[in-house]
Amino acid sequence: MDGSAKRSAAELYESCAFDQLLGESLRPGGLELTARVADIAGVAQNSTVLDIACGKGTTVVFLAGEYGCKVVGIDLSDKMIDLCWLKIRGSDQVAVLRGDAEDLPFRAGSFDVVISECSFSLLPDKERAARGIERVLKRGGKLVMTDIILRGEVSQELRGQITFACCLAGAWRAKEYIGLLERVGFRSSYLEDHSTELTQVAYQIGMAFGSIDNFVGWLPQGPCRRKGEGTARTSTESYQEFVRAARPGYALLAVTKP
Ligand SMILES: C[S@@+](CC[C@H](N)C(=O)[O-])C[C@H]1O[C@@H](n2cnc3c(N)ncnc32)[C@H](O)[C@@H]1O
């Protein structure tokens, strides 16, 4: 994925459709799931936490308030970072910066915990991101992510037809995430199913937009690339086929840097 495609991954979540649907946390589970993430990560008052792709800053403010820890948020979107600044102004516990989660601008061993909520799936070079996270964590530090996972098989051809850079299009199977994270040095993986929270978002989409197809139609990049001339299938049908094959779920995955 080139820089402009990465940029559109950020722009997608700036769209009013996501605002209307999800409000402050741009993903399933809300702050209840963030509290679970923090508990699994062992966040405490003396922790230093990094939230990659921090969105509107809801999690960084929540963690600083609930746990008294220091938190740094990074996001690719100027708009998200501006929204964060409005929330954290004057705080000596929270800092945010605009930057790429694949290219973390921090010294090695800076953080006790790295959190990634519904953002790892968006990153085109997941190995680069995983190596960066491992580098900035202290020994014994934890990465805890919550994200879409695929529970079915999707062909590369079908994946290539989804043109908008959403979490769903970039998601992997849980065992692929664990394999990557172990390859870059993490150990002690722990997996928890949170697919109910994803179902809840699908229900909210249905209530707010009439159908998932309507919602996807609202998004700036449109749902899918049309298949070649001469095929009867529409772009929406490609999207539906992707969802049917992928059987998306939602999971919490935690790993430790030994
Ligand atoms: C689904 S939203 C999740 C936001 C936040 N973690 C939350 O829980 O509300 C994805 C976020 O990833 C950001 N993003 C996308 N690609 C990024 C990248 N390469 N580096 C940093 N942030 C990125 C977007 O701007 C957006 O704020």
Side-chain angles (χ1 to χ4, degrees):
M1 200 189 260
D2 61 16
S4 69
K6 235 185 208 181
R7 177 73 218 128
S8 59
E11 276 166 7
L12 179 69
Y13 294 94
E14 294 170 354
S15 107
C16 61
F18 276 92
D19 258 359
Q20 194 176 328
L21 183 69
L22 296 168
E24 284 302 302
S25 289
L26 297 167
R27 52 161 175 94
L31 286 176
E32 212 173 296
L33 186 53
T34 301
R36 180 70 186 146
V37 165
D39 288 347
I40 297 279
V43 173
Q45 194 171 1
N46 61 355
S47 304
T48 305
V49 180
L50 172 65
D51 181 15
I52 65 162
C54 61
K56 297 177 177 178
T58 311
T59 288
V60 294
V61 169
F62 171 76
L63 293 178
E66 287 291 311
Y67 299 85
C69 55
K70 292 212 180 314
V71 195
V72 178
I74 184 168
D75 200 284
L76 197 59
S77 156
D78 289 318
K79 185 176 166 192
M80 294 297 170
I81 292 301
D82 286 348
L83 291 170
C84 290
W85 278 119
L86 292 175
K87 287 196 182 112
I88 68 160
R89 214 176 315 175
S91 169
D92 58 358
Q93 275 174 267
V94 184
V96 290
L97 71 154
R98 189 198 168 276
D100 188 344
E102 287 180 8
D103 204 4
L104 296 174
F106 307 106
R107 289 209 189 104
S110 299
F111 297 97
D112 301 290
V113 170
V114 175
I115 286 178
S116 165
E117 293 176 305
C118 207
S119 59
F120 204 77
S121 52
L122 281 175
L123 304 177
D125 192 342
K126 293 179 174 46
E127 174 145 356
R128 184 180 169 87
R131 288 193 189 284
I133 293 168
E134 197 271 345
R135 182 184 66 77
V136 301
L137 271 171
K138 295 176 185 167
R139 285 191 185 283
K142 277 193 163 66
L143 161 66
V144 185
M145 56 190 252
T146 54
D147 219 319
I148 305 254
I149 48 151
L150 304 188
R151 296 177 293 185
E153 298 288 347
V154 181
S155 68
Q156 280 311 319
E157 189 205 355
L158 187 53
R159 200 185 270 275
Q161 287 162 10
I162 307 294
T163 49
F164 69 106
C166 68
C167 319
L168 181 60
W172 286 7
R173 295 168 73 89
K175 67 178 183 196
E176 293 175 307
Y177 282 127
I178 293 170
L180 167 64
L181 295 169
E182 290 184 347
R183 202 162 61 242
V184 305
F186 287 105
R187 293 290 174 265
S188 314
S189 58
Y190 169 79
L191 190 66
E192 211 171 76
D193 183 46
H194 285 274
S195 300
T196 318
E197 285 89 327
L198 183 63
T199 309
Q200 208 171 340
V201 170
Y203 175 77
Q204 283 170 252
I205 291 174
M207 294 303 283
F209 293 87
S211 70
I212 291 187
D213 293 345
N214 287 348
F215 170 68
V216 169
W218 262 70
L219 298 175
Q221 295 119 325
C224 304
R225 183 176 303 127
R226 273 180 189 280
K227 289 198 164 179
E229 290 294 308
T231 60
R233 189 180 277 147
T234 66
S235 60
T236 303
E237 281 165 348
S238 291
Y239 175 78
Q240 287 169 340
E241 187 186 329
F242 180 91
V243 173
R244 264 198 307 275
R247 291 195 291 113
Y250 207 72
L252 178 155
L253 173 58
V255 287
T256 305
K257 176 173 173 172

